[in-house]
C-alpha cells in the first residue's frame, strides 16, 4: 500500500438554492466544469495526468442525471481521455468520492484522481429522484421510515437536547461563518463563479445570516411538528420503533437546520510519485476512511459509530484529533457527536457549517475536507477528522494528517 495525498482543494461559493439564488442560472454541468477547470489551471493538469474524475451528486435525474462526471469532463478543459464516475452515497457523496479516489491511489490503481461533487438544489429539487426508501411502501414500512427532520427531532428527544441547545449551536455557526469570511479564511479555497462573459456571478457564500440571534430563532415554528403529529403521523411510526419515547419533541426549524444551496467542490488526490513528477507539493495525507450502516429510523446518528470505527481501525483515540468537521445537517447531529465523545465545541466546525452556509448535498463532503485542511494549516495543527450523517441510516468519516 502507498500513501494518498491531497495536493489541492477548492470549492465554489454556495448560492441560495432557489429561483432568486445567484447560481440559479448555472447548471450542474457548467458548475462542475468550472470547478474542474480551476483545479486544472491551478495545478497544470495537462494531458492524461489523472486517471479518473469521481464525482458525487445525490439527485441524479434531469440535468444531474446520466453520468454527470463524464459529462463534466467533456464540458471542461480536461483531456477527453480522462473518464468519469458519478456516485451517490446521499449526503456523504462528496466525501465518498474523496475516499474512493484515495483508496484507488493507496491500492496502486493509478497515481492521481480528481474527486468531489456538485448539487444544484435550486434547479433539481431534493427528493425528485423518488428514493425507494421513501416511496416504496414495502421498504418504508419495514424500515419504519420517517423524514430526516423527524429523525433529527428523535435524536434531540432521545439524547436530551432542547430547542435552546439547538438554537445556540445555530447562532454560533452563523457567528463563526461570518468571522471566517471577514478574516479571509476561505480565500485559498473559494473560486468565483463567472458567467459566459467572464463576469463574476458569485464570490461569497450567500446563504449566511450573520445577524441571527436567539430571539430571532425563537420566533420560528418547528418545521416538522405538523408532519409528525398530523397526517401521515410520522411520530407514531417512529414510536413503533422507539416505544420508550412518550412524545417526540420537535425542536428543529429552518434556522437550526442546514440550508438548501447550490455548490461544487473538487480535490486533487495523488501519490508521492505524482507530486514529484509534476512539481506539486502535498498538503495532507489521507490517513484513513470508514463507512457504516445505522438504524434507518433515527437515521442521522452515523457520525458517532463511524468515528468509533475509524478510531478503532487506526488505533487512535479521540484526543489524537486536533480539529473536527461534523456536517451540520441538523443541530442535534452535532450536539450528539459532541456529547458522545465529550469533545470541546471550540474544535468542532471552527468556521461554521451547513446551518450557516448551506448543504449542497453531493458537494458537502468534499467541501468540509477542504475546510478542515485549510484550518489545520491556519492553526498549525496536525490531524483532523471529517464526518457526515447520511440519509437512510449511514455514516462516513475521513482522517487527514498534514505533511
Amino acid at each position: 500500500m502507498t500513501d494518498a495525498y491531497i495536493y489541492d482543494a477548492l470549492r465554489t461559493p454556495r448560492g441560495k438554492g432557489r429561483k432568486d439564488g445567484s447560481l440559479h442560472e448555472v447548471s450542474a454541468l457548467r458548475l462542475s466544469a468550472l470547478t474542474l477547470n480551476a483545479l486544472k489551471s491551478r495545478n497544470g493538469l495537462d494531458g492524461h495526468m489523472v486517471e479518473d474524475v469521481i464525482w458525487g451528486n445525490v439527485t441524479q435525474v434531469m440535468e444531474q442525471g446520466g453520468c454527470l462526471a463524464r459529462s463534466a469532463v467533456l464540458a471542461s478543459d480536461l483531456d477527453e481521455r480522462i473518464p468519469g464516475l458519478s456516485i451517490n452515497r446521499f449526503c456523504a457523496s462528496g466525501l465518498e468520492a474523496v475516499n474512493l479516489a484515495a483508496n484507488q491511489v493507496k491500492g496502486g490503481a493509478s497515481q492521481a484522481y480528481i474527486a468531489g461533487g456538485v448539487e444544484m438544489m435550486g434547479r433539481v429539487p431534493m427528493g425528485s429522484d423518488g428514493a425507494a426508501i421513501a416511496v416504496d411502501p414495502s421498504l418504508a414500512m419495514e424500515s419504519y421510515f420517517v423524514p430526516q427532520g423527524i429523525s433529527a427531532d428523535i435524536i434531540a428527544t432521545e439524547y436530551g437536547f432542547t430547542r435552546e441547545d439547538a438554537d445556540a449551536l445555530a447562532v454560533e455557526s452563523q457567528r463563526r461563518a461570518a468571522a471566517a469570511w471577514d478574516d479571509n479564511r476561505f480565500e485559498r479555497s473559494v473560486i468565483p463563479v463567472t458567467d459566459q462573459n467572464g463576469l463574476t456571478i458569485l464570490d461569497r457564500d450567500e446563504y449566511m445570516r450573520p445577524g441571527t440571534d436567539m430571539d430571532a430563532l425563537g420566533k420560528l415554528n418547528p418545521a416538522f411538528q405538523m408532519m409528525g403529529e398530523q397526517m401521515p403521523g410520522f411520530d407514531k411510526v417512529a414510536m413503533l420503533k422507539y416505544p420508550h419515547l412518550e412524545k417526540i419533541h420537535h425542536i428543529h426549524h429552518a434556522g437550526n437546520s442546514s440550508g438548501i444551496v447550490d455548490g461544487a467542490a473538487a480535490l486533487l488526490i495523488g501519490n508521492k510519485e505524482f507530486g514529484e513528477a509534476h512539481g506539486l507539493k502535498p498538503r495532507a495525507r489521507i490517513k484513513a476512511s470508514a463507512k457504516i450502516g445505522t438504524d434507518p429510523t433515527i437515521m442521522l446518528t452515523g457520525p458517532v459509530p463511524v468515528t468509533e470505527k475509524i478510531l478503532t481501525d487506526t488505533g487512535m483515540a479521540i484526543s489524537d484529533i486536533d480539529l473536527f468537521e461534523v456536517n451540520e445537517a441538523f443541530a442535534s447531529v452535532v450536539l450528539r457527536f459532541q456529547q458522545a465523545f465529550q469533545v470541546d465545541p471550540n474544535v468542532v466546525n471552527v468556521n461554521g457549517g451547513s446551518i450557516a452556509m448551506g448543504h449542497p448535498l453531493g458537494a458537502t463532503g468534499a467541501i468540509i475536507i477542504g475546510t478542515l485542511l485549510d484550518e489545520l494549516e491556519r492553526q498549525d495543527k496536525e490531524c483532523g477528522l471529517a464526518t457526515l450523517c447520511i440519509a437512510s441510516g449511514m455514516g462516513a468519516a475521513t482522517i487527514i494528517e498534514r505533511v
Side-chain angles (χ1 to χ4, degrees), residues 26-99:
V26 185
S27 69
L29 175 62
R30 185 165 176 271
L31 197 69
S32 298
L34 182 149
T35 307
L36 295 176
N37 285 344
L39 198 69
K40 176 184 186 298
S41 177
R42 284 183 16 166
N43 297 279
L45 301 179
D46 296 323
H48 197 177
M49 284 171 56
V50 299
E51 179 72 13
D52 204 354
V53 172
I54 305 178
W55 210 239
N57 68 288
V58 174
T59 310
Q60 297 188 5
V61 295
M62 298 182 289
E63 62 190 50
Q64 290 185 172
C67 182
L68 181 60
R70 175 57 176 165
S71 297
V73 170
L74 294 176
S76 76
D77 297 331
L78 291 175
D79 193 299
E80 67 177 13
R81 291 174 294 173
I82 299 171
L85 171 65
S86 289
I87 66 164
N88 181 3
R89 201 188 287 278
F90 294 125
C91 296
S93 297
L95 186 68
E96 190 62 26
V98 172
N99 293 344

Side-chain angles (χ1 to χ4, degrees), residues 140-196:
M141 294 176 67
E142 182 180 328
S143 61
Y144 298 93
F145 169 81
V146 299
Q148 287 188 33
I150 302 292
S151 299
D153 287 337
I154 297 172
I155 293 173
T157 306
E158 177 77 2
Y159 294 101
F161 305 127
T162 66
R163 167 76 179 255
E164 289 71 26
D165 295 333
D167 286 356
L169 186 144
V171 169
E172 181 63 8
S173 180
Q174 295 281 359
R175 187 197 69 79
R176 292 182 182 187
W181 271 104
D182 290 344
D183 198 31
N184 295 320
R185 295 181 194 174
F186 301 130
E187 185 176 27
R188 179 172 185 174
S189 296
V190 174
I191 59 168
V193 178
T194 57
D195 65 14
Q196 301 288 357

Side-chain angles (χ1 to χ4, degrees), residues 19 36 63 126 311 318 321:
K19 290 183 178 180
L36 295 176
E63 62 190 50
M126 179 173 55
L311 292 175
I318 199 73
I321 309 296

